[in-house]
Amino acid sequence: MHWIIDTDAGVDDAIAIAMPFVPDWPDHRILAITTVTGNVHVSKVNINVGAVLDVLKVDVPIHAGCDRPMIESHIHAEEFHGADGLGDAGLAKTERRPEQEHAALAIVRLARAHEGDLGLIALGPLTNIALACNLDPDLPECLARLVVMGCAWQARGNQTPAAEFNIAADPESARVVFDRFSNVVVLPWEVSLDQMMPFETFERICAGTSARAVFFAGMTRVVHVWKARFGFTGVPLPDPLAMAVALDERIIARELRARVRVDIGASIGRALSSLDYRHPRPNARVVVAVHADAAWRMIERAWTL
Ligand code: BDR
Ligand code: CA
């Protein structure tokens, strides 16, 4: 299976990006990484992705994408990911530059070239993917899979009381994507809250001596801020859990089928992801529990090689 990773990297995005780059997944090939404004501005995301690819020692084209949401002004998450998006640990530097081709055009081109054998893993706001849908209305049929880290299936939002960050950062694009695709695999925010990486596992990765482990320890220093601020009992890792699901669906412990629709109104429900379990045409498999130990093993392996 071929894949594109669409990301607003972001510390947990960076952790996720490494996961396919281990010898365990010969059947998965990452063709491109597309970037989008989200946690930080896309110009920073491009650098962060380049820095991660440097430490992984892999060559994958980076395609810069949308620098703003479809309609509203951007919101960032720098208080979680650092002003540079990689934990302000001095890691956000690279010689790599993005390709000329825009992310949305790359998505459309690769989806056509690998029709039926291309998956897309969306780890950020859905702006590039909505734009790609409008450029090529057949995109949903061309893609074999779309895995989205996003939504708050119990409306336990992390951006607003009801809305999850990736949806809240660009609700209109999320609305387009969920309206057009008929089989999205969704990893919602609450799963990463209910199933956090134990601090013991986290500290063990940080104690590693490989270049990957040293990078991991640097960018995740922000985890101590999260712990102090929110009293987390472990490390919430939404994007890596979505990546684990993409790489191996046996990670899924429980899923629900529903029609997901995103509220684009202007009131307290804005960006709420509504899940209609009784709808005759569900458009999503919503993962509500994972086999977390297997996911932690995937992350530890990827970052201690
Ligand atoms: C999502 O928001 C971002 O801050 C994370 O990278 C993740 O993709 C979680 O709500
Ligand atoms: Ca992200």
Side-chain angles (χ1 to χ4, degrees), residues 118-143:
L118 182 75
L120 181 51
I121 309 168
L123 304 178
L126 295 167
T127 321
N128 289 333
I129 301 164
L131 180 56
C133 279
N134 281 353
L135 288 167
D136 183 350
D138 294 331
L139 182 73
E141 286 70 48
C142 291
L143 283 179

Side-chain angles (χ1 to χ4, degrees), residues 243-260:
M243 182 62 77
V245 165
L247 292 173
D248 188 350
E249 289 212 350
R250 289 174 300 178
I251 289 284
I252 300 172
R254 187 171 166 238
E255 68 177 48
L256 305 167
R257 292 191 74 84
R259 180 134 201 118
V260 175

Side-chain angles (χ1 to χ4, degrees), residues 175-211:
R175 172 68 167 265
V176 167
V177 169
F178 280 102
D179 282 0
R180 304 271 177 88
F181 280 82
S182 56
N183 197 14
V184 186
V185 178
V186 178
L187 190 290
W189 162 247
E190 292 93 332
V191 178
S192 70
L193 273 186
D194 295 340
Q195 299 186 275
M196 297 190 206
M197 176 184 268
F199 284 124
E200 194 190 345
T201 311
F202 171 73
E203 299 295 355
R204 196 169 56 230
I205 302 173
C206 291
T209 52
S210 68

